[in-house]
Amino acid sequence: MEVENISKEQKRGMLENVMRQFDNAADVIDLNPNIRKILSITNNEIVVHFPVKMDNNEVEVFTGYRVQHNNSLGPYKGGLRYHPTVDLDAAKALAMWMTWKTSLAGLPYGGAKGGIQIDSSKYSMAELERITRRFTYALGDNIGPEFDIPAPDVNTNPQTMAWILDTFMSTKAPAERSANLHVVTGKPIGTGGSEGRDRATGYGVFLSIKFWAENKKVNLKGKKFIVQGFGNVGYWASHFMEKEGAILAGVQDADGSIANKTGISVEKLWEHTRENNGSIQGFPFASPIESDYFFQLSCDICIPSALGNQITAKNASKIKAVLIAEGANGPTDVEGEKVLLARGVDIIPDILCNSGGVIGSYFEWLQNRNGEIWQLEEVLMKLEKKLNESFNKVLQTSKTRKVDMRTAAFIIAIERLERTYVERGIFP
Ligand code: GLU
């Protein structure tokens, strides 16, 4: 996938998409025009430029973003992504999706997103550490455990969160430090992270598919699925799908695409990527295929878990899957979705399908705040319960309102926000 070629379209498309999705749902419920105005804008847009010393002693200046969309339901919440496509519009779009996601999940959070416009594969670990620490320092008190709580996203991970936490804490007075443990979620276990947060997003994607299958009376055993992106989300979703008896038939990542009709072993592929800079390239038990052909692979379920705007009007008509489970944020654009819905393809929308991640983050934040440590089984059980509630609500709303699942999910999210504005009014 040539990042440079797709980036411009993606960036323009994501903000336009999320706004069209919002307007679409707002029209259905005839949303109060004043509340529509408020929810259409992002509260704060923070752009920071900061210098970092590279391994060769040269200084490079980086640009970082944090967009805070809305915090009427609670502190801003959402990931930090390190990718060349990160810019203000991308961060705005992703921050808005976080507001709808946390609202739909019934969490006491608002929505935010940010990151740095870099190709992280070009930097050493030591450089990434210094970049992350300087970024955190530049953000200063624009983040905080009760104000705005970052988490991992594309190309950031528990290690990144540990650096952020350590930097943030180090800037506080000694007596205040441990009260800041919940400034980020998705931390390593030894640093206040929660059991199960690592698999929470992928497990949530799997659970959404399981709930869909139960509802449709489909047996997942022997069903073929394809996955775009084999990072944390793609891997864990595949892991749980395989455990259920489904067959991984194809995978695409930034370096290429592979397929095997008889199935790809999820664990073998994961091991391969661990030894190969995270890339699926060169995996010996599958054949490389043309990247353009990936979405045309014969399968039952397609799990896009990489970047935005991957399924468009151009490729939607060729997709064989009967279900799209959106592990990524914004993988299907509005035009692509129209084509899929007209063909009777089901779509479990991102703000529901990948909400396991932020629900897992909420559990981590609660544990840190209350000085508790929960076991893995407890975390996964609570996650399943929460996700099941959201799934049923979305299904119910889509039936009563006679709308697709995305519009239903947006309606639930928007109505919760609407209620809070109606009750509180507008200051002054
Ligand atoms: N980056 C993830 C998302 O897009 C997780 C956000 C979080 O846990 O705050 O949902």
Side-chain angles (χ1 to χ4, degrees), residues 195 374-383:
E195 291 288 348
W374 304 352
Q375 302 298 309
L376 178 63
E377 295 71 39
E378 190 181 349
V379 172
L380 297 184
M381 213 178 62
K382 286 187 164 140
L383 181 64

Side-chain angles (χ1 to χ4, degrees), residues 80-83 113 120 152-157 305-307 329:
L80 289 173
R81 135 180 333 199
Y82 290 180
H83 198 271
K113 195 74 135 213
S120 48
D153 199 83
V154 175
N155 292 334
T156 55
N157 53 37
S305 10
L307 297 170
N329 292 308

Side-chain angles (χ1 to χ4, degrees), residues 80-95:
L80 289 173
R81 135 180 333 199
Y82 290 180
H83 198 271
T85 58
V86 172
D87 67 3
L88 199 54
D89 276 359
K92 276 189 191 181
L94 291 158

Side-chain angles (χ1 to χ4, degrees), residues 77-79 98 101 113 151-153 185 197 329 354 357-358 361:
K77 186 84 191 84
M98 282 310 304
K101 197 185 299 186
K113 195 74 135 213
D153 199 83
T185 56
R197 176 61 185 88
N329 292 308
N354 71 36
V358 73
S361 278

Side-chain angles (χ1 to χ4, degrees), residues 219-271:
N219 186 352
L220 289 177
K221 205 164 179 214
K223 292 286 177 295
K224 283 193 180 147
F225 66 101
I226 60 172
V227 175
Q228 187 190 43
F230 206 67
N232 180 266
V233 183
Y235 161 66
W236 281 108
S238 304
H239 168 93
F240 289 108
M241 286 293 281
E242 189 181 59
K243 236 171 117 184
E244 193 74 9
I247 297 162
L248 177 59
V251 183
Q252 178 172 71
D253 74 2
D255 297 319
S257 308
I258 56 172
N260 186 341
K261 277 194 200 106
T262 59
I264 295 168
S265 156
V266 174
E267 302 313 318
K268 277 204 184 115
L269 181 60
W270 180 246
E271 270 167 40

